[in-house]
Amino acid sequence: MVRISSAHRDPGDSDGTDATGLAFSVTASPESAYRFRQQFAQWLDATISVDAERRSDIVLAVYEAVANAAEHAYATPSPGTRPGAIDVRARKTRDESLEVIVTDTGQWKTDASSSPYRGRGLALISALCDASDVTSGPHGTSVTLSWRQRQSV
């Protein structure tokens, strides 16, 4: 089960597990995305047995999806307002595969930066997953990531 101690918990963040896995809501901010990454890694370690390289790929891909939502989903909040939320659901399927869905209810905002080092998040996610799908519309974006259980040789 994922827990955040009260000393590190943002009042807008909630965490928990349901019968099928992890259900987590995180405030759309870089700090919350970082804290989520640590908690997700703990949940993953307790839930699925994978080698270190695969674990690293999963944690990085999920973090990247959350960080992209934190950066791009919501306009910069005006003073006194809270950033939007990002919902993450993760579950181990019957065939021992892993499925993670990252959802926001924002409107995609583009990065004004002209840096050649930006804009690689979705390509990175795709390279790290066995399958990924991004669905975006007027009510938000949903990123579904999945990894099949590797067969032992």
Side-chain angles (χ1 to χ4, degrees):
M1 182 169 189
V2 174
R3 296 200 188 281
I4 298 177
S5 71
S6 59
H8 296 96
R9 186 175 181 155
D10 181 12
D13 292 350
S14 63
D15 66 306
T17 56
D18 59 25
T20 60
L22 174 77
F24 200 99
S25 183
V26 62
T27 301
S29 71
E31 298 81 14
S32 293
Y34 173 76
R35 284 193 309 268
F36 168 78
R37 180 180 182 155
Q38 296 170 322
Q39 296 303 315
F40 178 78
Q42 289 175 358
W43 175 83
L44 183 66
D45 290 342
T47 305
I48 295 181
S49 176
V50 293
D51 63 48
E53 181 179 359
R54 184 83 157 170
R55 178 195 183 275
S56 179
D57 289 351
I58 293 167
V59 171
L60 180 56
V62 172
Y63 169 75
E64 185 64 29
V66 170
N68 276 355
E71 182 176 358
H72 297 290
Y74 301 100
T76 305
S78 48
T81 61
R82 291 186 51 83
I86 303 164
D87 293 320
V88 181
R89 296 207 176 276
R91 69 185 183 101
K92 182 168 64 169
T93 63
R94 283 185 209 160
D95 67 354
E96 299 294 311
S97 295
L98 175 67
E99 178 182 74
V100 180
I101 302 171
V102 178
T103 307
D104 66 68
T105 57
Q107 300 287 320
W108 190 264
K109 65 175 183 156
T110 57
D111 180 21
S113 168
S114 60
S115 171
Y117 303 106
R118 308 270 311 152
R120 292 179 171 75
L122 294 177
L124 176 65
I125 289 169
S126 179
L128 295 171
C129 300
D130 290 333
S132 64
D133 180 63
V134 178
T135 305
S136 190
H139 301 293
T141 301
S142 179
V143 179
T144 303
L145 315 171
S146 62
W147 292 265
R148 291 179 298 280
Q149 179 66 24
R150 291 186 175 164
Q151 300 299 319
S152 301
V153 180

